[in-house]
Amino acid sequence: MKQIEKLLFINSYGTQGTLYDPALVNPPEIVLPPTGMQTFAELNHFIISSSSDAVMVPVDLCPLWMQSTHLLNKVREGVAILDEANAIVWTNRPFQTWFPEFNPKIPHQDILNVLGSPVFLSSEGEEVNPLKQIRRTGKNVSSEICVNKNRFFEMDVLPYEGGGRNPSYLLLFLRDVTRRKEQEMKLISLHNAGFELNQMMVDESMDLDQREELLKENILFNVQTLLNHEMLELRTLDPLTNELTLFVQYGMTPEIQSRTVFLGAEDGGINAMVAKTRKTYVCNDTENDPYYISGGINARSSLTVPILFEGNILGVLNVESTKLNAFSEMDVRFIEIFVREIAIALNMLKALEYEKLSSIQVSVEKIHGKVAKPVADILESAINLNEKFRQGPVDATADPTVQMMLYTIIKTSREIQYLIRQIGHGLSLGTAYASEKRDEELRKVFEKKRILLVDPDEQIFRQVSDILGRLDCSVEYAKTGASAIAMVTLSFEEEIPYFAILTAVENIPDYPHTTSFIFELGALYGKKHPPLVLLQQVGHYNLSHSVVNAKTRYPAAQETGRPPVEKILLEAIRRAVARAEVTKPDFDAPIQTYPSLGPRG
């Protein structure tokens, strides 16, 4: 049997004298660590390098020793014990897994060399070496370290033995926070990217087209490099048509260039659905998702996020991947954060477009305001002249060329009015995100309609023309009752009747009793109810009772103020038109007269 020359004895209460018989020849060298940390060091050294011939552990300490080592190997943190020179005494398995360059068989390896000369950062952002700090203060120290420029750990260092300002041994705990740190850095990068997007939008050295192109380039760059997505498609919403038009794309199939997508349309796929629901949608398997329409080349999963600004939908951003289940919760979070920045940039771009277009629109409104009255005068005069030829001598009406010329004047005048309004309307298509956004439901009601205004006051015509013109509605003007009768007659001959007739209830120049004019006008409609809106002077008593008489015979007629208020006028027209279609005139209703002048018209 080999003689034991060196014995490691682990015992918290024994002494060397109790370990061997004094009469023993050549007794072994006894290694009796005085402290727990030195016990760790000696035992670790024995295990990896056989520094002693044998180790003796009392039976009562064996279970505790083995259990402690087993537990430390099971924790997620990396644990290391350092001696007074910051050399590694012992490490658990997670530490050895994170740092495979560490060789447990080599004793007394410097911790900083094993970590690869890490960068230490305190909570204040300054570089502080926690090992030096704990040696100096003797208090627990926490720090963050960066290893190899791409791995991050939280480090806690605790004094274990020796106490005071220069503890003999240190306990070092490491937690891998690389993923969390990467996410924090990505969030900072996303914020910076968003700031750059918005700064770009206010750069006065670029025009609108340059800003739009630069915005597209930045979106592509950040989605590809920062968010690491392979394919993307961004569509913006046209609020007038509800079409989601392609703004920028990368890695998608050629078919999407010509694909038409409308908000909420059943054939619009995920983009249309997300724009309608305003909720993010993750498609984990494109082959088995009923909403998915082929977009990305060989795409197997997709993530689609609504672009919202102050509750308004501006568009959708769709990113796709060739992998199944490619998008995690963090991917969703990051893309939603970046989309907020895109929304701000898009809104700013639209605002700048509106600023430019609104100045053009003001010019168009001024042109229309100047031209509308002369054109209306031409139209009224031409219709009156046409009416005189119709009623005049035979030789006047016998010349078809004259009447054809008059009809051409009438037609051309109306076309001029329409074209001027269309120019303004076309220029204002991009203003939907402005604060003066028009009610599109009203536009659908009034666009391309003709309305006749009968009123001697030209200022009233300008006000009505301005209100209705913004809705792409043409206003024709008659200063006299005779002109109005002629214009309504011609509208029936052309088979294009007026959408509504707005008339003053007093002071029609050629009709002293306005009731007579209204009745004669209504007679042109036969048994049908005319779409009448009566303009009653605010604060004036209707002495002729024309309002009462008109509403008695034509109960669907609506009344509104003069001068008109926009919302009240538009609602009065809508009601007059709607009720005229389902109401019949009452020709037997009694007629009110002037109180002192007897019966009138």
Side-chain angles (χ1 to χ4, degrees), residues 237 241-244 259-277 290-293 316:
L237 179 69
T241 63
N242 275 343
E243 182 179 356
L244 291 161
R259 181 176 296 162
T260 303
V261 180
F262 289 93
L263 183 147
E266 292 183 359
D267 60 352
I270 295 175
N271 284 331
M273 180 181 66
V274 167
K276 181 180 180 180
T277 62
Y291 299 106
Y292 181 78
I293 297 176
V316 293

Side-chain angles (χ1 to χ4, degrees), residues 38 65 88 126 143 163 180 187 208 236 251 264 340 366 373 391 404 445 484 490 499 503 529 532 562 574 593:
Q38 287 184 353
W65 180 264
I88 296 175
E126 299 177 356
S143 178
R180 190 194 74 191
L187 287 173
L208 277 175
T236 56
R340 293 176 201 166
K366 289 181 178 179
K373 177 59 172 57
Q391 299 174 358
M404 181 60 69
V445 173
L490 183 61
F499 182 64
T503 179
H529 196 301
L532 275 176
R562 180 178 180 273
R574 291 180 66 175
T593 63

Side-chain angles (χ1 to χ4, degrees), residues 235 246 249 251-259 294-297:
R235 290 181 177 270
L246 187 64
Q249 66 87 21
M252 310 298 282
T253 59
E255 288 77 11
I256 73 160
Q257 297 285 354
S258 57
R259 181 176 296 162
S294 177
I297 299 173

